[in-house]
Amino acid sequence: MADGGTSLLAPVIVIAALVIRTALTELRDPGSARRQWAFAVNARAMAAGATVASAIILIGGQRFGSAAAAWALLAGALTAFLTGRDAPDPTSAAARSKEQAVSDRQIAKVLAAVGVPLTLAGVAMHILPGPGFPSLIIGLALLTASLSMAASALRR
C-alpha cells in the first residue's frame, strides 16, 4: 500500500472503531448513543469542530489530499465531542421540552441511508482499481451502528 493509502487508513479505522463502540454501547444500554452524540445538536460544539476540520483541510489538503480530509473529519468530530461535553442530556425532560425528540429508529434509518451507498461504493472501488477500502470500512461501521440502534429500539 502506498504511503498516502496508509495515512488514509489510520483515521478511517479510528472513525469506524468509534462508531462500532457507540453501536455496542447502545446495545447494552439503550439511549446511550443519544447521550454520547449529544454534541451533534450543540451549535457551539459543531462550530468548533468545523473550524478545526476546515483548518486541517486548508493546511494539509493540497499536499495530502483525501488523507487530510479523513484526518480533518476525525479531528473535527473529536473537537466537537470535547467542546459539547457540557451540553445537557438530550434524554432529560428539559431538553425534550425544548426540542423535538428524534427517535433511535430515525437515527438508525439515517445511518443506514449513509452506510449502504458508502459500502456499495467501497465494494465497487475495491473491485475496480481504486482506494475503496476506507469507504468500505466506514460504510460497514455505519451499517453496524444502524442495525444495533434499530435492534435496541425494538427491545424497548
Side-chain angles (χ1 to χ4, degrees), residues 77-103:
L78 291 175
T79 301
F81 175 76
L82 291 174
T83 306
R85 286 184 6 181
D86 60 345
D89 182 6
T91 59
S92 69
R96 273 186 265 133
S97 66
K98 278 195 226 178
E99 299 178 7
Q100 178 74 19
V102 178
S103 72

Side-chain angles (χ1 to χ4, degrees), residues 41-65:
V41 295
N42 186 333
R44 188 185 75 174
M46 293 307 290
T51 302
V52 168
S54 299
I56 291 173
I57 287 178
L58 286 174
I59 292 169
Q62 189 71 358
R63 183 169 178 203
F64 298 108

Side-chain angles (χ1 to χ4, degrees), residues 120-133 136:
L120 293 175
V123 168
M125 288 170 50
H126 193 66
I127 293 171
L128 302 171
F133 196 62
L136 181 65

Side-chain angles (χ1 to χ4, degrees), residues 3-21:
D3 191 40
T6 305
S7 64
L8 176 63
L9 195 56
V12 167
I13 290 172
V14 171
I15 291 168
L18 290 173
V19 170
I20 290 171
R21 178 182 170 260

